Amino acid sequence: MDPYKVLGVTPQTSDDDVKRAYRELARKYHPDNYVNNPLADLAEARMKEINEAYDMIMNERNAAKNGGSSQSQQGQQYYQQRQSGTGIYAQIRSAITSGNLAIAEELLGRCPTRDAEWYFLMGTVYFRKGWYDEAQRCYTQACTLDPNNFEYRNALNNLNMGANYGGYRPMNSANACDCCGQLLCLNCLLNCCCGGGGC
Amino acid sequence: MFGFIRPFKPELRVKEVDRFQAVYCGLCHELKRRYGRLQTYFLSYDMTFFALVIGAVQPSDPGTERCRCDASPFRKKQVACTSSTLSYAADVSVLLTYHKVQDSVQDETGYKRFAARLLRRLMRKAYAKAQAALPALDNTMRACLDDLTALEQAKTPSLDRPADTFARLLSAAVPADYPSDVQRILSQMFYHTGRWIYLLDACADVKDDFASGSYNPIVLRYELQSPEIDSVKQPLERTLERSLLDIHTAYQLLPLYRDQGLIENIIDLGLPLVTRQVLDGTYHANGGHETHGSL
């Protein structure tokens, strides 16, 4: 692996610019952009490669500068999904986590009761499949049945505002709607608190 | 397909305009060479995008040559040379066109149905050839479209269920001989491209379908009482935007050899613009001018 090629820089690039290139790439491939995405593993591999390349360059340069090794920063911040529930729901959760959507869907079909958690899990299966309208319906139903559950509300918020991750805002350039802007900001705040704060 | 996929020209560089044109013309020439003149009339920007993307992950590119054609008989144009990706895209295009005509034969009435029947007859030979080239893809397309017909007949009040059939159809069109990671990325990209095309087409058709009483997932899902989508514009925009995001995140992982700027222009500017235009009711097919192959 040529670390310079990975970051798209040259050995002549200044430290600041290497850092900038690294940040840019890390923002692009951050696991937050690939939550519930079937390509999450590929993004993670890319992220690892970028981190390693950055470490390699920085370590090399620091060693050249002061003859010693130094620690470098890592941008990784993994999204922790809260695991809860018992019995069949726990089984469904682990099926979803391992990407086995067909099994999760079958187990959900077998559940006799359709409570808030059922709708939440069904919504997550739809989310994974990219069936966003169905996911939205299920999450909304879960929030209606259990309005105080933070996990469900967070999932619904993530779904509704997902297109703001990674700075990709396709529909906003010509659609200068103040209300949307405010909602975006609010959601970013919410996500910062919840993603980083470990709620 | 429908022609929703196009670059946003004001942000394109001159060489990118030329490149898009060259791939469009290259695909047109390939269709004519392999399947005859008739098929070239069904060439779309959507297929150009498809050819562009599946070509960009190939290490080698045969370049361009200068050719004349029906649309430009006097002045030679830059045309992408024939390659395995172009001929593959041409095969896929023929299959899609045939199935679309087949669909019209089933759905339309009167003279339109007659025209579709005639067209289907004229296309039979080309279809047989494309089917022989890609038998597995043809089977998948058929199965997906059968699923779609069943959902339409059951008047399914869901956006995702019918959209999934077209999304699966398009994601099956990814070449089977690519490395597995690239295949996975392209499948995800074209799944959501298909979902987006289907849903956007449904948005554009709300007025017509409302008048004719044909199946329209948006009318049924939101229980629309009038042929206006203004009241449901926001949730539609959101769900379409989600697919655009998935196209974008998948694209980011794609190891590209060329045409990065052009593909990014289409994904990040072209698709959102068309989405907005369709939802606002300001969309015009072919950008308002019906000129063959010009952006």
Side-chain angles (χ1 to χ4, degrees):
Chain A
M1 179 181 81
D2 176 0
Y4 289 99
K5 215 175 156 188
V6 172
L7 297 189
V9 294
T10 64
Q12 286 74 40
T13 311
S14 72
D15 284 4
D16 281 351
D17 286 344
V18 170
K19 192 177 271 178
R20 200 165 297 136
Y22 164 74
R23 285 217 181 114
E24 183 67 25
L25 287 169
R27 196 177 55 81
K28 218 165 140 180
Y29 297 105
H30 195 278
D32 276 359
N33 298 335
Y34 291 86
V35 176
N36 279 331
N37 190 307
L39 304 176
D41 58 320
L42 296 177
E44 198 177 318
R46 182 71 70 87
M47 189 75 204
K48 206 175 143 219
E49 196 182 43
I50 293 162
N51 280 324
E52 278 170 11
Y54 181 70
D55 286 352
M56 259 166 92
I57 294 174
M58 283 310 171
N59 286 342
E60 209 172 78
R61 288 186 175 188
N62 285 331
K65 264 181 225 152
N66 46 34
S69 68
S70 81
Q71 293 292 312
S72 60
Q73 304 139 323
Q74 292 228 338
Q76 294 191 40
Q77 219 183 49
Y78 283 94
Y79 202 89
Q80 287 285 320
Q81 277 213 326
R82 205 170 57 122
Q83 298 277 336
S84 70
T86 51
I88 191 150
Y89 286 151
Q91 252 178 300
I92 294 166
R93 273 177 196 264
S94 78
I96 293 172
T97 314
S98 62
N100 215 330
L101 297 182
I103 287 186
E105 226 176 332
E106 204 199 314
L107 289 171
L108 281 163
R110 273 195 240 149
C111 290
T113 51
R114 312 227 148 155
D115 53 9
E117 191 166 10
W118 188 90
Y119 280 105
F120 167 71
L121 293 172
M122 196 68 227
T124 308
V125 170
Y126 283 138
F127 196 143
R128 280 283 180 108
K129 282 167 67 166
W131 292 28
Y132 295 120
D133 187 55
E134 297 290 338
Q136 210 255 352
R137 281 206 231 187
C138 286
Y139 281 161
T140 309
Q141 184 68 15
C143 289
T144 317
L145 291 173
D146 186 357
N148 297 322
N149 188 301
F150 196 78
E151 190 183 21
Y152 308 161
R153 193 143 293 280
N154 200 25
L156 184 61
N157 282 333
N158 272 338
L159 176 66
N160 285 341
M161 298 297 178
N164 311 309
Y165 278 121
Y168 179 66
R169 297 183 180 87
M171 309 286 289
N172 270 32
S173 45
N175 206 357
C177 154
D178 270 350
C179 149
C180 291
Q182 282 166 7
L183 278 171
L184 297 183
C185 295
L186 273 174
N187 183 65
C188 287
L189 271 172
L190 190 69
N191 280 328
C192 289
C193 304
C194 304
C199 305
Chain B
M1 294 221 270
F2 311 92
F4 285 137
I5 301 177
R6 61 176 64 154
F8 178 58
K9 202 180 172 191
E11 291 284 343
L12 278 184
R13 284 188 273 184
V14 174
K15 65 172 183 182
E16 290 165 348
V17 175
D18 291 347
R19 172 68 182 160
F20 190 78
Q21 196 84 56
V23 175
Y24 184 90
C25 292
L27 192 53
C28 187
H29 279 263
E30 190 71 26
L31 278 167
K32 193 176 168 194
R33 199 160 31 233
R34 284 170 74 87
Y35 294 104
R37 189 173 268 120
L38 178 65
Q39 286 295 332
T40 64
Y41 293 102
F42 298 93
L43 174 59
S44 65
Y45 285 159
D46 302 8
M47 278 321 287
T48 310
F49 173 71
F50 181 75
L52 203 59
V53 172
I54 64 168
V57 296
Q58 291 279 48
S60 65
D61 181 63
T64 58
E65 57 192 342
R66 290 174 61 78
C67 295
R68 288 181 229 277
C69 68
D70 293 354
S72 174
F74 303 115
R75 220 184 46 167
K76 286 187 175 177
K77 278 185 160 183
Q78 289 291 342
V79 174
C81 299
T82 178
S83 66
S84 58
T85 37
L86 273 187
S87 56
Y88 179 83
D91 295 347
V92 174
S93 171
V94 171
L95 289 180
L96 280 169
T97 307
Y98 182 83
H99 285 299
K100 192 165 190 274
V101 171
Q102 176 76 29
D103 190 52
S104 308
V105 171
Q106 280 169 12
D107 294 351
E108 302 288 355
T109 50
Y111 78 95
K112 277 190 176 168
R113 184 178 198 154
F114 176 75
R117 278 233 171 96
L118 188 69
L119 211 51
R120 186 176 61 174
R121 192 160 185 86
L122 293 172
M123 282 179 179
R124 198 158 282 170
K125 218 172 135 191
Y127 170 64
K129 193 175 166 189
Q131 193 187 24
L134 302 170
L137 178 59
D138 185 59
N139 283 336
T140 313
M141 282 187 178
R142 231 171 242 281
C144 290
L145 291 170
D146 286 348
D147 289 350
L148 180 58
T149 310
L151 289 168
E152 283 176 357
Q153 277 166 0
K155 299 225 170 280
T156 313
S158 161
L159 300 184
D160 289 310
R161 278 167 211 283
D164 173 66
T165 60
F166 191 70
R168 276 190 284 126
L169 184 153
L170 208 57
S171 99
V174 173
D177 55 349
Y178 280 14
S180 67
D181 280 355
V182 174
Q183 259 190 56
R184 272 181 64 199
I185 297 167
L186 287 175
S187 294
Q188 164 80 353
M189 224 176 122
F190 285 111
Y191 181 91
H192 281 283
T193 309
R195 182 181 185 267
W196 177 83
I197 289 176
Y198 182 88
L199 291 178
L200 205 62
D201 190 51
C203 292
D205 286 348
V206 163
K207 273 200 180 82
D208 291 348
D209 290 341
F210 201 88
S212 68
S214 313
Y215 175 76
N216 186 299
I218 291 163
V219 173
L220 293 172
R221 154 72 173 92
Y222 296 108
E223 295 163 2
L224 294 183
Q225 301 303 322
S226 69
E228 297 297 327
I229 54 168
D230 287 348
S231 56
V232 295
K233 219 160 92 178
Q234 215 190 2
L236 278 174
E237 185 174 302
R238 233 177 236 165
T239 205
L240 286 165
E241 197 177 58
R242 254 340 288 207
S243 274
L244 292 183
L245 178 69
D246 277 0
I247 297 170
H248 173 89
T249 51
Y251 161 78
Q252 281 189 339
L253 294 166
L254 209 56
L256 287 190
Y257 289 94
R258 66 193 74 81
D259 297 332
Q260 190 183 354
L262 179 51
I263 297 174
E264 271 171 23
N265 174 293
I266 296 176
I267 293 176
D268 295 349
L269 301 170
L271 303 188
L273 180 74
V274 171
T275 313
R276 213 158 33 233
Q277 286 175 340
V278 169
L279 291 177
D280 293 346
T282 54
Y283 173 78
H284 296 290
N286 223 358
H289 6 244
E290 289 291 335
T291 43
H292 176 84
S294 69
L295 274 172

